Amino acid sequence: MIESIIQFMRRDVTRGVVGTILLKVGSGALAFALFSLAARTMSPDGFGIFATWLSVAQIASVVGLVGQESLLVRFLNEYQVGNRPDLTKGVLLSSLKLSSVAMLVVIGAIAIAANVKGDWWLLILAVSAYTAVNAGVMLGSQVARSLVSILMGEGNREFFWRVGVVLFLLAIMFGHRQLDPAELFAVMTIAMSVGLVAQVVSIARALPDLRGTAAQSETSRWRSSALHFWIASVLEAANQYFDVILVYWMLDPATAGIYFAASRLANIFAMLSAALYSFGARRLPSLHFSKNLQEFERTLQLMAEVTALCVVSGLFLVWIGGPHLLNLFGPHFAAQHWVLIVLAIGTAFQAAGGPSAAILQLTGHERIYVPVVAANVALRLVGFLVLIPWLGVLGAAISATVSLALATIALNVLCRRRTGVDPSILVLLRFGGSKRGTYAVGGADAGD
């Protein structure tokens, strides 16, 4: 038994998956520390306002990128495998231009809306700056992950900058000073700017010398894919952050802060899904485009094994330690243990479904992915409008979990039908019961 575990951990794919998950766990722990310290250094309403504006900024960053971050994952891998530096240069230049212009428009819209709402000008400025830098890090992390390493991409996006912010919050807490949301946004923006500079430098070093290469374009392909990637990314961001905005609107800032804290803790499983996506987005596209189907199958099996282990242990942690984790945000948070459990069931179900969304998008089936995510958002919105007046914040959690579970099932069915791949942990039963050949991974046809 021990020898089997040792052999399992020695596999290169296992080390890659586990390393990516550990990076996500570390970043998740830092995010937990950041938000719990923020809750303790702010008033309940102040933390709710911070959580709501953070959710707005995250959605705005995705809107302003107009799908370019996902587009780069899709095409950089294809052009690298095909040895096309001209198209590599073309897609990079095109993405930078489009996202820069769109981000300026989005930031202007945020500033105007916040000013009309009557928010403090310093908070508006801080949120706008955070939105711009956050979008830059999101775009840079996708390029760095494809061209440099997962550590350079995801580490600078979610890990390293949070260390400085947590230290700052510890100093505020031990100094017994109450923090303003605008101050925290400013500190986060400065810390993320350092990571953005590191990403830019590493990408410049990793890229081949493209100065003498004439940029070529595939504008029609890029536009078609970018539109669907953009819609999907916006809907995914709405799935993660729009809940908090609705709770703030339908209830009050303090309750929005409570829901935000519970949803961040439940995101231990969403963090697992993100880790699998990060690893899969770096490894699976090159295997797909190089037609290495045996290694593609092996990678998916190892990802499913790690996922199953993490889902079981994560649910146990939430069930037993949930009240203690919530109490770190403040005594009034601990009473919402059932909200945390319900949210965790939904995100655990999503994690068990595997990287079906990534596989659909990276194999050219992004068009059928968008309607599923849109239906998820619509169903969740209806659930909020019906259940929140009846059950309060618990109704919001139930709505989120039901919609997420249904979307996960739909995506897995589509993934199996369109690509021949079962990305969920159920694939372990198939491998355990009988031997199979390699996947016949299907790409999108002209109709897709």
Side-chain angles (χ1 to χ4, degrees):
M1 178 66 178
I2 296 177
E3 184 178 351
S4 298
I5 294 175
I6 293 175
Q7 290 179 352
F8 173 73
M9 294 303 298
R10 282 178 176 172
R11 299 177 189 174
D12 57 338
V13 179
T14 305
R15 290 197 302 270
V17 174
V18 172
T20 307
I21 290 177
L22 288 176
L23 178 60
K24 287 290 183 180
V25 169
S27 65
L30 284 171
F32 173 76
L34 191 158
F35 296 135
S36 61
L37 288 170
R40 287 188 169 273
T41 54
M42 294 180 183
S43 66
D45 282 353
F47 181 68
I49 291 171
F50 165 76
T52 303
W53 272 114
L54 180 65
S55 301
V56 171
Q58 294 288 355
I59 295 175
S61 295
V62 174
V63 172
L65 286 175
V66 289
Q68 299 305 303
E69 76 284 11
S70 300
L71 182 83
L72 288 176
V73 173
R74 167 72 172 81
F75 287 102
L76 281 179
N77 284 282
E78 178 181 341
Y79 296 153
Q80 279 189 297
V81 171
N83 192 26
R84 294 297 305 271
D86 53 342
L87 289 173
T88 298
K89 182 176 181 178
V91 74
L92 285 171
L93 292 176
S94 174
S95 295
L96 287 174
K97 292 176 182 177
L98 285 174
S99 57
S100 297
V101 173
M103 187 54 59
L104 288 174
V105 174
V106 169
I107 291 173
I110 290 178
I112 293 171
N115 187 57
V116 171
K117 185 175 175 290
D119 286 304
W120 188 28
W121 69 268
L122 194 57
L123 177 61
I124 299 172
L125 182 62
V127 171
S128 299
Y130 173 82
T131 302
V133 174
N134 182 54
V137 171
M138 289 172 65
L139 186 65
S141 68
Q142 299 285 19
V143 181
R145 186 172 61 198
S146 296
L147 299 180
V148 185
S149 68
I150 291 177
L151 181 63
M152 179 56 66
E154 297 302 316
N156 279 307
R157 178 177 177 176
E158 297 186 345
F159 186 86
F160 299 122
W161 67 269
R162 285 177 177 158
V163 175
V165 178
V166 167
L167 293 175
F168 168 78
L169 288 171
L170 284 171
I172 294 294
M173 187 177 69
F174 288 126
H176 304 288
R177 187 170 75 84
Q178 192 169 80
L179 193 64
D180 184 85
E183 293 179 272
L184 183 53
F185 274 116
V187 172
M188 292 167 62
T189 301
I190 293 170
M192 292 179 73
S193 298
V194 176
L196 179 59
V197 171
Q199 284 182 341
V200 171
V201 172
S202 66
I203 292 169
R205 291 178 176 177
L207 281 172
D209 188 2
L210 299 176
R211 286 174 293 183
T213 303
Q216 297 293 325
S217 64
E218 293 182 315
T219 307
S220 59
R221 288 187 70 197
W222 297 346
R223 285 180 179 174
S224 176
S225 295
L227 176 61
H228 295 93
F229 283 140
W230 181 51
I231 296 173
S233 297
V234 171
L235 292 172
E236 286 173 352
N239 273 337
Q240 295 183 51
Y241 298 105
F242 196 57
D243 296 9
V244 179
I245 300 172
L246 285 176
V247 172
Y248 175 88
W249 175 58
M250 298 183 70
L251 296 173
D252 55 76
T255 306
I258 291 173
Y259 185 87
F260 178 82
S263 63
R264 294 309 94 188
L265 284 173
N267 266 4
I268 182 175
F269 301 103
M271 182 174 58
L272 170 62
S273 298
L276 292 174
Y277 177 84
S278 297
F279 178 79
R282 177 170 173 83
R283 187 176 180 88
L284 293 179
S286 59
L287 297 177
H288 170 66
F289 290 118
S290 61
K291 307 299 182 183
N292 191 346
L293 301 182
Q294 183 175 2
E295 187 65 19
F296 190 97
E297 177 187 73
R298 176 171 168 263
T299 299
L300 286 175
Q301 181 186 359
L302 267 295
M303 291 169 70
E305 291 171 353
V306 174
T307 299
L309 178 64
C310 291
V311 165
V312 173
S313 58
L315 283 174
F316 179 78
L317 174 64
V318 168
W319 183 269
I320 301 299
H324 305 289
L325 294 173
L326 285 169
N327 191 56
L328 293 176
F329 287 83
H332 61 290
F333 287 84
Q336 303 299 331
H337 185 207
W338 275 106
V339 173
L340 172 60
I341 289 176
V342 172
L343 288 171
I345 291 172
T347 53
F349 197 93
Q350 181 189 39
S356 55
I359 293 172
L360 284 171
Q361 292 186 77
L362 296 173
T363 53
H365 296 90
E366 59 270 9
R367 293 188 180 185
I368 62 173
Y369 169 66
V370 172
V372 177
V373 184
N376 181 19
V377 174
L379 180 61
R380 182 174 301 193
L381 177 59
V382 172
F384 270 45
L385 296 176
V386 172
L387 295 178
I388 287 181
W390 179 29
L391 299 172
V393 69
L394 181 61
I398 293 173
S399 174
T401 292
V402 171
S403 64
L404 194 59
L406 292 176
T408 300
I409 293 171
L411 287 174
N412 270 266
V413 171
L414 287 171
C415 190
R416 288 195 294 269
R417 289 180 177 178
R418 294 302 181 99
T419 69
V421 173
D422 182 0
S424 72
I425 61 174
L426 295 179
V427 74
L428 297 178
L429 301 178
R430 192 173 304 161
F431 276 108
S434 62
K435 297 289 185 181
R436 303 181 69 227
T438 56
Y439 285 118
V441 184
D445 55 29
D448 283 337

